[in-house]
Amino acid sequence: MQAKRANEDGADGAPARVHPETVQRIERSMGALGTAAIAAMDERLPWFRKMSAENRSWLGLVAQAGIAAFIDWIKHPERPRPAVTEVFGTAPRELARAVSLQHAVEMVRVIIDVVETQVDTLAAPGAETELREAVLIYAREIAFSAAQVYARSAEARGAWDARLEALVVDSLVRGEGQETLNSWASALNWSSSPVSVIAGSIDGEEAEPVIDELRAQARRARLDLLAGVQGSRLIVVLGGTDDPMTAAEKLAGRFGPGPVVVGPPVRDLRSASISARAALAGLRAAPAWPDAPRPAGADELLPERALDGDTDAVQILVAEVYEPLLAGGPALLDTLTTYLEQGSSLEATARMLFVHPNTVRYRLRRVTELTQYTPSVGRDGFTLWIAIILGRLSARRG
């Protein structure tokens, strides 16, 4: 009698979970159980059928490992929980991105169902109930363990993604490493275009919750978003919209007090340093325009940026405003400068140039056609005046 009890107890004397003969039967059926589990997954799990052959093969190994871990667990009653690493450790880490926690739990459920359906065959005579109980305990523990594995993986991946995101933003601000940006963007699953950069202020202590809110808002709008904090500045990289100003209007409330500036849209993340440079230059120059809208486009701040020493803004104003005016002929440029000097008065301009006011009107309309700025609008007139000054200085230096 004692010999029989010794055979049924574990190595350290702990009561065996199931009858030894049951263990032997399961061990002999291990290959068949694994094959049945894979067939059941193929039949019951649509996402499994859609996976690549390589990933399906890996999940087949996971199923086999799950059954092997069950056998090992029932053979060692001194272990309170199954070793989950023996199950999920067989697959590469990349598989975690292809298989969600929900899918992992579904897969475990299918494997357990396969074992449960064969309890009557696998269990020793009279030991069916204890095998069913062991299967239920194992299923519960393995599901909890899978959740822990995914939680730890998500936490580690989240920390890594946050560091990578900060590197991307820093690289864009510095205008460095376009090739490196490609690999980082790929690691972050970024493929959106066009891309715009938004810059504003933030309280450093509030950065993390603010960035989380921005991400959630972007997800709801089906946009991609990267964010980083540099001192008191919040830099947001927004992807997937042709209308960044409208998107920025919805996000502006998450920034701290003061101006919020939106850089021009660019083709992709590799070119985003152009947008970042414009947005940051605009943010620096924005105090010179206290009544600027919030958010304001970086191009709306071209005069202030140019006066603040932004060479990009100088080049844009010269190339896109002054040079087209110059190409329009001396009369056009003379009429515009006279109009601005005379306080935007048509009659005074006409008298100074000895022309009819309608001639002045025609020439001013021509200015608008060439530059997209309307001389009679105060802000546009200021921009035109700055462009003329910069153009003349540039011509002198040339």
Side-chain angles (χ1 to χ4, degrees):
M1 184 75 170
Q2 290 181 355
K4 181 180 179 183
R5 171 58 58 193
N7 288 336
E8 294 181 356
D9 287 350
D12 63 350
R17 285 192 171 92
V18 298
H19 196 281
E21 184 181 340
T22 299
V23 176
Q24 294 173 2
R25 290 187 177 198
I26 296 175
E27 286 180 324
R28 288 195 297 267
S29 303
M30 184 174 158
L33 287 172
T35 301
I38 295 170
M41 286 193 293
D42 191 63
E43 179 183 353
R44 294 169 50 181
L45 304 177
W47 57 264
F48 179 77
R49 293 193 296 271
K50 295 177 182 177
M51 296 187 80
S52 66
E54 181 181 7
N55 283 344
R56 284 163 56 93
S57 175
W58 277 116
L59 288 181
L61 292 178
V62 170
Q64 294 278 6
I67 295 169
F70 174 65
I71 296 171
D72 184 69
W73 178 69
I74 60 177
K75 288 172 67 176
H76 297 87
E78 72 279 4
R79 297 179 183 173
R81 291 185 176 182
V84 68
T85 53
E86 296 178 5
V87 179
F88 296 98
T90 59
R93 291 185 179 181
E94 292 80 4
L95 194 63
R97 292 184 180 268
V99 180
S100 66
L101 173 60
Q102 179 182 348
H103 289 168
V105 172
E106 289 176 354
M107 184 176 69
V108 169
R109 184 181 294 120
V110 169
I111 295 171
I112 296 303
D113 285 349
V114 167
V115 176
E116 277 190 308
T117 59
Q118 300 190 36
V119 162
D120 293 338
T121 303
L122 297 171
E128 293 84 1
T129 300
E130 66 180 13
L131 178 56
R132 286 193 178 91
E133 290 177 355
V135 169
L136 290 175
I137 294 172
Y138 179 78
R140 181 192 66 192
E141 295 296 340
I142 205 72
F144 284 148
S145 297
Q148 290 176 345
V149 167
Y150 272 78
R152 285 195 296 269
S153 175
E155 184 178 354
R157 187 166 61 250
W160 167 248
D161 285 353
R163 289 194 294 271
L164 196 57
E165 188 171 344
L167 287 172
V168 169
V169 172
D170 184 65
S171 179
L172 289 177
V173 170
R174 293 173 181 273
E176 299 172 348
Q178 290 189 354
E179 293 305 319
T180 305
L181 269 177
N182 279 344
S183 70
W184 288 347
S186 176
L188 289 168
N189 293 322
W190 179 286
S191 59
S192 292
S193 64
V195 177
S196 297
V197 175
I198 309 170
S201 67
I202 191 171
D203 183 343
E205 295 181 358
E206 300 177 355
E208 189 171 340
V210 166
I211 290 175
D212 287 342
E213 290 170 2
L214 286 169
R215 289 196 187 103
Q217 201 166 343
R219 280 196 298 271
R220 289 194 293 271
R222 297 184 178 179
L223 300 174
D224 276 343
L225 183 144
L226 301 176
V229 175
Q230 294 193 333
S232 61
R233 301 180 306 185
L234 173 60
I235 315 296
V236 170
V237 184
L238 196 64
T241 176
D242 293 316
D243 187 7
M245 287 300 297
T246 299
E249 288 172 0
K250 297 176 182 178
L251 301 176
R254 305 296 181 187
F255 287 77
V260 174
V261 181
V262 183
V266 293
R267 185 179 64 257
D268 51 32
L269 196 61
R270 286 188 304 171
S271 309
S273 59
I274 299 171
S275 184
R277 193 163 62 242
L280 291 170
L283 186 64
R284 288 191 298 269
W289 185 16
D291 296 328
R294 189 177 191 269
D299 286 350
E300 295 179 87
L301 286 152
L302 282 172
E304 289 80 7
R305 288 168 52 192
L307 293 172
D308 193 43
D310 179 14
T311 56
D312 288 343
V314 172
Q315 290 173 1
I316 291 171
L317 288 171
V318 171
E320 298 183 9
V321 179
Y322 177 73
E323 290 179 357
L325 289 173
L326 198 62
L332 194 65
L333 195 55
D334 286 346
T335 300
L336 176 59
T337 55
T338 304
Y339 176 79
L340 295 174
E341 289 170 349
Q342 296 301 314
S344 302
S345 169
L346 282 170
E347 291 75 13
T349 302
R351 285 196 302 270
M352 290 292 294
L353 297 176
F354 302 102
V355 296
H356 194 279
N358 284 342
T359 302
V360 176
R361 289 191 181 92
Y362 168 77
R363 291 175 181 175
L364 294 180
R365 284 197 299 271
R366 183 63 179 151
V367 168
T368 302
E369 291 172 1
L370 291 173
T371 67
Q372 307 306 311
Y373 290 101
T374 303
S376 60
V377 175
R379 180 74 190 170
D380 284 7
F382 170 64
T383 303
L384 289 164
W385 206 196
I386 295 295
I388 292 169
I389 294 170
L390 293 171
R392 287 170 174 171
L393 291 173
S394 176
R396 188 190 67 179
R397 286 192 296 267

